[in-house]
Amino acid sequence: MKQILAVGLLLIGLAPLAGAESVWVSDQFEIMLRTGPSTSNAIERVLSSGTELEVLEQDNEAGYSRVRTRAGTEGWVLTRYLMNEPSAREQLATLTRRLTSASAEGSSLTSQLDAVRGEYDSATRQIASLERDKARLESELAEIKRTAANVLSINDQNKNLRDQLAEAEIRSATLEQQNRALTSQTTRYWFMTGALVLVVGMILGIWLPRIRWQRRSRYDRF
């Protein structure tokens, strides 16, 4: 398999990459970062398994790739020691970190959920208390309205009674005035009647003797 890969690389030749891509050092061993694409070039540094590199170009004939580390160091490494994805150990470490982070976030979310549930329960209790207070206040308001209606009705009745009493007092005063007027008129009537009877009596007292005298005079003539 390695021989077929080497033959393919020799046939392709030196081919610069059109775009940069990320590769990782194999997790089997450490590799050398050299100043050129051969073992005769000086070693710049040793790259450990799982180190992320940026591929700048490839020399397929020599089997080397020019790469750049995250720190900015550039050099050449054997292409066959590079992979298109992180090593299994690196992936496991990454997954472990993600799982730990997810567990921590899950715990935080659980705490937040518990806090939200507590706030919801507290809000629910407050709402229930407010609803009870509302029902009580509505009952008191209805009672106040009934009492106010009764007071208004009593006030209306008192006003009507006061009006009726005022009318009765006016009628009583009118009747009393009429009674006094009638009494005065009756008194005057009886006084006039008495005076008339007295005058008539006086007239009769004067007139009757004359009639008798005239009759006697007539009888004397005969």
Side-chain angles (χ1 to χ4, degrees), residues 196-212:
L196 181 60
V197 169
L198 180 60
V199 170
V200 170
M202 290 177 64
I203 292 173
L204 291 176
I206 295 172
W207 184 60
L208 287 176
R210 288 182 179 182
I211 293 176
R212 292 176 181 176

Side-chain angles (χ1 to χ4, degrees), residues 16-168:
L17 293 179
E21 63 175 334
S22 296
V23 293
W24 288 262
V25 175
S26 171
D27 60 351
Q28 295 180 0
F29 45 77
E30 296 177 341
I31 64 175
M32 308 302 174
L33 181 66
R34 297 180 180 274
T35 57
S38 67
T39 56
S40 61
N41 294 105
I43 298 174
E44 292 189 87
R45 59 181 300 180
V46 177
L47 302 177
S48 60
S49 174
T51 302
E52 184 178 359
L53 303 172
E54 180 183 355
V55 176
L56 302 177
E57 62 176 292
Q58 288 182 340
D59 186 347
N60 294 326
E61 184 176 355
Y64 276 82
S65 297
R66 188 166 68 90
V67 297
R68 181 190 294 128
T69 64
R70 284 191 170 184
T73 304
E74 296 183 5
W76 293 83
V77 296
L78 288 170
T79 304
R80 66 176 179 269
Y81 295 143
L82 302 177
M83 300 184 300
N84 292 326
E85 60 182 11
S87 64
R89 184 172 58 189
E90 184 66 22
Q91 293 184 29
L92 179 60
T94 301
L95 291 175
T96 301
R97 288 193 298 271
R98 289 181 179 177
L99 180 60
T100 302
S101 177
S103 298
E105 290 179 358
S107 300
S108 177
L109 290 175
T110 301
S111 301
Q112 293 178 7
L113 181 60
D114 292 339
V116 170
R117 286 177 177 173
E119 292 177 358
Y120 174 78
D121 293 338
S122 177
T124 301
R125 290 192 295 270
Q126 290 180 1
I127 291 173
S129 177
L130 290 175
E131 289 180 348
R132 290 192 296 270
D133 292 340
K134 177 184 176 184
R136 178 176 56 80
L137 291 175
E138 287 179 348
S139 178
E140 292 178 357
L141 180 60
E143 182 64 25
I144 290 173
K145 287 182 178 179
R146 286 194 296 270
T147 303
N150 292 333
V151 170
L152 292 175
S153 177
I154 292 173
N155 289 335
D156 292 338
Q157 292 178 2
N158 290 336
K159 184 177 181 300
N160 293 331
L161 291 175
R162 286 195 298 270
D163 292 341
Q164 293 176 6
L165 178 60
E167 293 178 357

